[in-house]
Each structure stands twice: as C-alpha cells, then as structure tokens.
Amino acid sequence: MQIAALFVSLLAASVVSAKDDNSTGTSVKSQCRTIAKMQNLVDLAANQTKLENKADGNTTKIDEVKSKAADASTQLTSMTANATLMGECAVIQAHQDSVQACGDIQKIEKMMAIAANDTKLNNKLDNNATKIDEFKAKASDMAAKLTDLQSNGTLTTFCAAQRDVENCESMKGLQKLIAKASNQTALDAKFEGNTTKAEKFKAKAAEAQTKLDALMSNSTLMATCSSLSQTQTQQGSTNNTSDSSNNSPAIRFQPAGQMAITGLVVAIGALFMI
Ligand SMILES: *[C@@H]1O[C@H](CO)[C@@H](O)[C@H](O)[C@H]1NC(C)=O
Ligand SMILES: *[C@@H]1O[C@H](CO)[C@@H](O)[C@H](O)[C@H]1NC(C)=O
Ligand SMILES: *[C@@H]1O[C@H](CO)[C@@H](O)[C@H](O)[C@H]1NC(C)=O
Ligand SMILES: *[C@@H]1O[C@H](CO)[C@@H](O)[C@H](O)[C@H]1NC(C)=O
Ligand SMILES: *[C@@H]1O[C@H](CO)[C@@H](O)[C@H](O)[C@H]1NC(C)=O
Ligand SMILES: *[C@@H]1O[C@H](CO)[C@@H](O)[C@H](O)[C@H]1NC(C)=O
Ligand SMILES: *[C@@H]1O[C@H](CO)[C@@H](O)[C@H](O)[C@H]1NC(C)=O
Ligand SMILES: *[C@@H]1O[C@H](CO)[C@@H](O)[C@H](O)[C@H]1NC(C)=O
Ligand SMILES: *[C@@H]1O[C@H](CO)[C@@H](O)[C@H](O)[C@H]1NC(C)=O
Ligand SMILES: *[C@@H]1O[C@H](CO)[C@@H](O)[C@H](O)[C@H]1NC(C)=O
Ligand SMILES: *[C@@H]1O[C@H](CO)[C@@H](O)[C@H](O)[C@H]1NC(C)=O
Ligand SMILES: *[C@@H]1O[C@H](CO)[C@@H](O)[C@H](O)[C@H]1NC(C)=O
C-alpha cells in the first residue's frame, strides 16, 4: 500500500482545509452545510405529508416553511450550479460518512466485547437480567452490520490510516504534557505555586508516559509517524502558497478530531487508487 502517497495527498488537502477554515460563512465547508440545509428545507416544503406532520398541521408554520423554501431555492439553484463546489461537497460528505463508519465499527466492536463477557455485562448493567438480555439482543442485531462494514477493504484501510494519524498526533500532545510536568518554571507559571495541583498534573504526566511508551514501542507506527512528519516538513518549506499567515505545518496539519474534514477526504481518493 502506498502509505506515503496517501499522506502526501492528505497533507495537500489539509492546506486547502486550513486556508479555507474561516468562520465567515464562505468556506467551502460552510457553503456545503448551507446547501444541505437549504436542500432539506426545499424537500420539506415539497412534501405536504411530511410538512403537515412536522408542523402539527399549523398552517401558519406551513406557510412559513414554504415561503422560506421559496426564498432559498434561488440561492440553492445558483450554488448547486457550481460543479466545482458540488464536487468538493461530495468529497467532504464522503469523508464524513467514512469517519462515521469508522466510529460505528469501534462502537459495535466494543459492544460485542461487552456482550461476550459476563463480568463486563454485569458491571455495566448492574446485574439486571432484563437489561442484559436486551443488550445482548441489540449486540446480536448489530453483528451483521459490523461484518458488512468490516468487509469493506477501502473503509478498513481508511480507518487504519486515520487511526495512525490520530496516534501520531496524540504522541506530540503527550510529549508536550510530559515535558511540562518536568519543567518547574512551567509548573509554577501554570499552577501559581499550588503544589496539590502540580502533583495532580505530574500524576497525569506519569499516565501519559505509560501511554506514550506503549505507542512508541510500536515500530510500524513510529515509521509511519516519521514519514508523516517528513512530508509535513517538505510541505512546510515550500514558501509559495498564497497566504503565509496560515502556512505553518502545525496549523495546516490539523489534529485529527476536527481535522480531517477536508484532510482525509482526498485520502479516500488516494485509497481508491491503491
Ligand atoms: C478570516 O476571516 C477574517 C474576518 O472576517 C478575515 O479578516 C480574514 O482575512 C479571513 N482569513 C482567511 C484566510 O480567509
Ligand atoms: C413525504 O414524506 C413522507 C413522510 O415523511 C414519506 O413517507 C414520503 O415518501 C415522502 N414523499 C416523497 C414524494 O418524498
Ligand atoms: C402556529 O405557528 C405559529 C408560528 O410558529 C405560532 O405563532 C402559533 O401560535 C401556532 N398556532 C398554534 C395553534 O399552535
Ligand atoms: C464555485 O465554487 C468554488 C469553490 O467554492 C469557488 O472557488 C468558485 O469561485 C465558484 N465559482 C463560481 C462561478 O461561483
Ligand atoms: C466502502 O467504503 C467506502 C469508504 O467509506 C465507501 O465509499 C464505499 O461506498 C463502501 N463500499 C461499499 C460496497 O459499501
Ligand atoms: C471480561 O472482563 C473482565 C473485566 O473487564 C476482564 O477482567 C476479563 O479478562 C474479561 N474476560 C475475558 C474472557 O475476556
Ligand atoms: C431491570 O431493568 C428493567 C428494564 O430497564 C427495569 O424495568 C427493572 O425494574 C430492573 N430491575 C431491577 C431489579 O432493577
Ligand atoms: C520551561 O518552561 C518555560 C515557561 O513555559 C519555558 O520558557 C522554558 O523554555 C522551558 N524549559 C525547558 C527546558 O523546556
Ligand atoms: C490548591 O488547589 C486545590 C484544588 O486543586 C485547592 O483545594 C487548594 O486550596 C489550593 N491551595 C492553595 C494554597 O491555593
Ligand atoms: C502498531 O501500529 C500499527 C499501525 O501503525 C497497527 O496496525 C498495529 O496493530 C500496532 N501494533 C500493536 C502491537 O499495537
Ligand atoms: C522560498 O523560495 C525561494 C525560491 O524558491 C527559495 O530560494 C527560498 O529558500 C525559500 N525560502 C524558504 C524559507 O524555504
Ligand atoms: C511559486 O509557484 C508558481 C506557480 O506554482 C511558480 O511559477 C513560481 O516559480 C513559484 N515561486 C517560487 C518562489 O517558488
């Protein structure tokens, strides 16, 4: 698998994402959100049954929705006429769907693990047999969905890459925290001499160290992180992108949580080519 190529495209996409990330309402992301909202409104207004249900038969409300939908439809038409924008929205949507699917896989796996372990079941559900049976039934219903999701190689590759990126990012955070805990100046500044708070923070740093050690003992992951940061450095040194204020790799390479929206998006594109 061309993991390096994957990350290159991922970073390239992050550039777009970071430059684009502005709350002025004109970013591609927010334009896509606007389109989706307006589309929902127009669809609702066109479905009398749904509309009446939603408005509880209140004709004032129904007329309001219809009038808003009529207003929106002009803007919607002009926005959806932009093929570039619509293409970008499709990519963003596909990415969001994939992230959601990765989350589903994790959730269901966790659920199955609980359902298969009586100790965990009893702990979680307070030894309540009714609740336990319900939970087991639900888990069994989800099993088919899990099999389905896991059989999609594109998706599982995407989820693994996403997890790698998240782990690489989290290592940076852990290292920072650990460094701070052993820096008396920083501790004094942060806790204003409150040793109780400082000790608590040090305990947290010790936990972070354990986590970090576990991650760093994985040489596969370390190799991935290293190629990832090399790619970042290369990208960071090209001083030729339009807006230099947003140009530091740290900003461009957003942490996974919110990131990726546009970031991993193109990764999906790359995944299809692997
Ligand atoms: C983000 O928004 C602010 C405030 O509207 C604006 O001044 C700034 O130029 C924008 N930045 C980018 C990168 O678009
Ligand atoms: C209208 O909404 C109802 C209820 O939500 C749905 O069952 C029906 O399929 C919709 N009709 C159309 C044409 O979309
Ligand atoms: C119908 O909706 C309007 C606007 O939302 C509201 O002001 C009014 O009280 C509603 N009428 C009834 C009968 O609920
Ligand atoms: C279409 O959308 C793209 C991406 O948001 C934008 O850069 C471009 O200016 C838009 N084109 C028109 C004609 O509005
Ligand atoms: C597999 O997952 C990818 C990425 O989430 C998705 O685009 C594709 O539709 C899925 N394929 C199937 C057969 O579900
Ligand atoms: C079941 O869960 C308990 C508590 O989380 C754990 O200690 C135990 O090892 C698990 N048993 C199996 C068979 O996984
Ligand atoms: C067990 O859970 C069920 C369903 O939530 C509830 O109705 C019942 O009261 C619970 N039983 C006990 C002993 O708590
Ligand atoms: C310790 O923290 C201070 C204040 O945050 C910082 O200026 C200093 O460079 C740090 N020292 C080390 C060795 O990292
Ligand atoms: C230190 O912080 C703890 C809470 O974390 C607080 O209870 C205590 O009063 C603080 N001590 C001083 C000297 O401010
Ligand atoms: C090490 O990391 C790779 C991903 O980079 C992962 O596939 C593998 O399961 C990890 N190994 C262990 C022992 O956690
Ligand atoms: C910026 O680009 C120019 C021309 O390619 C190059 O000579 C210069 O070293 C670059 N500066 C940095 C900081 O990368
Ligand atoms: C910046 O990029 C443009 C177009 O990609 C290129 O023509 C130009 O030579 C580049 N300038 C520098 C300083 O790298």
Side-chain angles (χ1 to χ4, degrees):
M1 184 177 55
Q2 297 158 322
I3 199 87
L6 169 69
F7 285 125
V8 170
S9 57
L10 192 156
L11 286 162
S14 302
V15 177
V16 178
S17 165
K19 267 202 303 201
D20 197 58
D21 198 15
N22 213 336
S23 45
T24 51
T26 55
S27 76
V28 170
K29 246 192 281 179
S30 74
Q31 280 181 293
C32 299
R33 265 198 304 269
T34 305
I35 290 174
K37 259 195 224 157
M38 292 194 301
Q39 191 64 59
N40 277 339
L41 191 64
V42 169
D43 289 348
L44 177 63
N47 186 330
Q48 192 66 26
T49 318
K50 207 174 182 177
L51 189 52
E52 279 174 9
N53 276 340
K54 194 143 189 174
D56 288 328
N58 181 332
T59 48
T60 315
K61 258 188 203 163
I62 291 174
D63 288 346
E64 271 172 16
V65 171
K66 283 188 174 167
S67 141
K68 268 191 205 156
D71 288 346
S73 91
T74 317
Q75 203 193 342
L76 184 61
T77 306
S78 85
M79 283 175 95
T80 51
N82 185 336
T84 311
L85 179 60
M86 293 311 284
E88 285 168 336
C89 291
V91 169
I92 290 172
Q93 188 60 49
H95 173 259
Q96 284 171 342
D97 290 348
S98 297
V99 169
Q100 168 106 44
C102 298
D104 287 349
I105 289 177
Q106 280 184 346
K107 240 173 31 200
I108 302 172
E109 276 176 345
K110 213 167 153 190
M111 203 172 165
M112 307 287 278
I114 294 172
N117 182 323
D118 285 337
T119 316
K120 281 186 178 152
L121 274 174
N122 284 328
N123 280 342
K124 187 181 165 71
L125 301 168
D126 303 325
N127 295 305
N128 182 322
T130 316
K131 277 189 191 163
I132 288 175
D133 285 346
E134 274 170 13
F135 187 87
K136 278 184 175 169
K138 217 159 89 187
S140 143
D141 284 349
M142 299 301 270
K145 189 180 177 192
L146 181 61
T147 309
D148 201 35
L149 288 169
Q150 282 174 332
S151 71
N152 184 336
T154 310
L155 179 63
T156 54
T157 305
F158 170 83
C159 295
Q162 196 203 22
R163 203 167 41 238
D164 280 354
V165 171
E166 279 173 6
N167 280 333
C168 298
E169 281 300 311
S170 88
M171 275 192 243
K172 284 187 211 157
L174 293 169
Q175 272 160 343
K176 244 189 218 159
L177 192 142
I178 293 161
K180 206 171 197 174
S182 63
N183 179 338
Q184 198 56 46
T185 317
L187 285 177
D188 287 345
K190 189 176 168 76
F191 300 112
E192 293 168 340
N194 185 324
T195 48
T196 317
K197 280 186 185 164
E199 285 311 314
K200 223 174 177 174
F201 187 76
K202 282 183 186 170
K204 216 167 98 185
E207 279 171 31
Q209 185 70 59
T210 310
K211 226 184 209 167
L212 181 63
D213 289 346
L215 287 169
M216 286 181 77
S217 71
N218 184 332
S219 56
T220 316
L221 178 62
M222 292 309 286
T224 303
C225 294
S226 143
S227 80
L228 188 56
S229 92
Q230 258 169 31
T231 314
Q232 274 174 261
T233 312
Q234 280 159 17
Q235 294 234 336
S237 62
T238 53
N239 58 7
N240 205 10
T241 30
S242 50
D243 107 32
S244 54
S245 65
N246 259 351
N247 227 357
S248 99
I251 293 175
R252 283 203 258 150
F253 191 68
Q254 299 157 315
Q258 32 167 302
M259 135 155 114
I261 298 296
T262 319
L264 278 166
V265 164
V266 172
I268 304 182
L271 283 168
F272 280 113
M273 288 177 257
I274 288 169

